[in-house]
Amino acid sequence: MPDEISYESELASKCQGAAQCLSYNGPKHEAEAKHVLHEASHALDRHAVRVSEDFPGLLITNARGKSRYMTWRERLARWLLKGALEIRP
């Protein structure tokens, strides 16, 4: 039985690892599977973020280490939600 995945960032890493085993030059279904796994990995990475205060503003860092500053709309939403960043439908 495979290890249980407890974080979205772990699932994103597993998707990325599975996509590396596939080829775009293979059969059509293999190329589509690779593309879907890459897209899923990026979508999951957007969910796992860390917010830290930096000099010019609030810095958002995703699970892969890429970062950017919050927009004024995101800062307003964070203030209105009292710091709660996770909203799920």
Side-chain angles (χ1 to χ4, degrees):
M1 184 170 170
D3 295 336
E4 187 174 320
I5 298 171
S6 57
Y7 295 105
E8 287 182 353
S9 59
E10 289 178 17
L11 182 59
S13 294
K14 289 194 181 270
C15 286
Q16 191 75 27
Q20 289 178 350
C21 297
L22 301 174
S23 171
Y24 281 120
N25 296 328
K28 179 182 176 186
H29 297 297
E30 185 177 335
E32 287 178 11
K34 182 176 180 104
H35 179 72
V36 168
L37 285 170
H38 275 298
E39 290 296 320
S41 173
H42 290 296
L44 289 168
D45 278 339
R46 286 193 302 258
H47 287 262
V49 297
R50 181 180 66 241
V51 178
S52 58
E53 292 187 30
D54 200 21
F55 170 65
L58 296 173
L59 188 66
I60 300 174
T61 307
N62 71 4
R64 301 274 183 215
K66 296 197 178 204
S67 60
R68 66 174 178 83
Y69 288 102
M70 274 190 177
T71 64
W72 68 272
R73 289 181 183 182
E74 291 169 333
R75 291 178 68 150
L76 178 64
R78 184 174 184 257
W79 179 75
L80 288 172
L81 296 170
K82 297 180 175 71
L85 296 175
E86 185 172 334
I87 303 169
R88 300 282 172 124

